[in-house]
Amino acid sequence: MNAPLRHADKNFAPLIRQQNLIDGRWVDADSSATFDVTDPATGEVIATVPNSGAAETRRAIDAAHAAFPAYAAMPLGERVALMRKLHQVILDNLEPLAAMMTAEQGKPLAEAQAEVASSAAYVLWFAEEARRADGAVIPSPVAGRKLMTTRHPVGVVAAITPWNFPSSMLARKLGPALAAGCTVVIKPASATPLSALVWGHLAEQCGFPPGVVNIVTGSARAIGAEITSNPKVRKITFTGSTEIGKQLLAEASGTVKRMSMELGGNAPFMVFDDADIEAAIDGALIAKFRNAGQTCICTNRLFIQSGIYDRFVEAFSARVAALKVAPGNEDGAEQGPLVDAQALTKIEAMVADALAKGGTLVTGGAAHERGGLFFQPTVIADATPDMRVTTEEIFGPLAPIYRFETEDDVIAAANDTEFGLACYAYTKDMARMFRLQDKMEYGLIGINEVLIVMPEIPFGGLKESGLGKEGSWQGIDDYLETKYTCIGGL
Ligand code: ADP
């Protein structure tokens, strides 16, 4: 039963789906159990979705497996046309899709709109990349043979997605999978299932055949265990914490699946004495406080060179203190609520730890007077390596600032982490820019720029931040197998 909508008056109400999508049918969990989806800004229940487990997941995998041969054989031109329709239908629904995301995730509406636009852009990008997924004719070293490679969809793909970018993280997986000719089973984060379920509705509307896109909500452990052990799943693509990523890698080893992992980060943000300080402050505000600090490429550690340290701390903190903290759908909101109570408790504990170890609280530091899940945008200066914020992913609106003296010192400190996703630097010294490019152990390097992610670039981490790339021409590779054929006797 699709539960009655509590928000029938909202512009996104017609887009809310409260059931699993399996084999082209919208269905409840076998037990009829559900869980609530709430608005983190108000605590209001927005919807209820199925609390499913292994059995529903197995049926979704079976459906994807059954749909695969026909979908893989669909002429490329038809598949590309479906993808182009999907791109258009996302743009046509941009406003309500963004409002729905803000309601369940909490981010400011402008950020949600940008995310939905980015989802559409990924779909279009991969539709085009599918047309270029060519093979090769390899010059043969011996006579009488033709050596060739051809590329083929990997098969059933399982996508496990996070709550912080509930639409675009899915677009980066669903886009290349559908473009390559794979069928998909999606397990969205339980905090934000609506932004994923709606893709099922949109895909149906565009005419993707039943069973090509399947979505199951519910117990991460039960759904995850079925996905990792089921031999029909040929690839898992995951965005989430390093801890769960490692667990999935271990679990999936039994059936040797292809694995793509977008995991945690601990991004350094380095500002050198020669930098344009105003530009650096603008960048730091975005790189730290976008999505209330809840992105895997968010600045975790701000390293400021000693010559400009005091000036930077003062001017940056004044801007941070002025950020408008409000529900995401309120005019001018710059920082919404945190995702849940656990996130708030974690930030409080990190602030206490940093202050106990000698940090100086410059602004913020406590729950916001709005109450609920709102936290004050916070700056702690005089940060030191022994603090939790140095080694752990903060995932919240807390900016620790470290002082450094030399380029060598800051590069060593910035690289001193098991993570390697994003890093940022502000400097006007061109030679230094190239030294940073060589020496920073990060998959994404932003120099004098923080908005560095777009479909054209290969997003992915080094070290324990992940495996594989999403976006660019590389982003479709993980969804394609290469076969080599040798024809002899010619
Ligand atoms: P986050 O900190 O972003 O919530 P998680 O790694 O906990 O990161 O969650 C990311 C996604 O992984 C979510 O969809 C979550 O439900 C899912 N997940 C969590 N635990 C498991 C698990 N044991 N198996 C499979 N998926 C899981």
Side-chain angles (χ1 to χ4, degrees), residues 360-481:
T360 306
L361 184 64
V362 189
T363 185
H368 195 271
E369 47 272 27
R370 277 183 173 272
L373 299 175
F374 291 94
F375 197 84
Q376 295 172 347
T378 298
V379 178
I380 292 180
D382 306 317
T384 52
D386 58 331
M387 295 175 179
R388 283 181 61 188
V389 290
T390 307
T391 48
E392 294 177 39
E393 196 173 24
I394 299 172
F395 240 63
L398 160 59
I401 307 188
Y402 305 73
R403 184 193 295 266
F404 75 88
E405 299 296 335
T406 70
E407 182 182 306
D408 284 346
D409 289 349
V410 76
I411 290 174
N415 283 336
D416 185 16
T417 165
E418 70 270 25
F419 296 108
L421 189 53
C423 70
Y424 307 95
Y426 277 74
T427 177
K428 286 185 187 149
D429 180 337
M430 185 72 91
R432 173 157 35 228
M433 294 179 196
F434 286 105
R435 287 194 295 276
L436 291 172
Q437 185 181 41
D438 279 346
K439 293 181 181 169
M440 296 310 296
E441 297 165 357
Y442 287 85
L444 310 166
I445 302 176
I447 298 179
N448 299 328
E449 182 58 69
V450 294
L451 292 171
I452 60 175
V453 179
M454 55 207 96
E456 291 80 358
I457 65 100
F459 186 104
L462 310 186
K463 294 157 86 177
E464 292 190 13
S465 285
L467 295 171
K469 303 290 183 192
E470 294 190 326
S472 94
W473 57 266
Q474 296 182 54
I476 200 167
D477 275 1
D478 282 350
Y479 297 81
L480 293 165
E481 300 279 14

Side-chain angles (χ1 to χ4, degrees), residues 159-164 187-192 218-225 227-228 238-245 247-248 251 263 339-340 346 393 395:
I160 303 176
T161 52
W163 50 263
N164 60 344
K187 166 14 197 142
S190 296
T192 56
S219 159
R221 192 166 288 279
I223 296 171
I227 285 173
T228 51
F238 171 76
T239 300
S241 61
T242 297
E243 182 197 349
I244 300 295
Q247 189 184 321
L248 295 173
E251 284 177 18
L263 308 177
V339 70
D340 57 24
K346 180 180 154 197
E393 196 173 24
F395 240 63

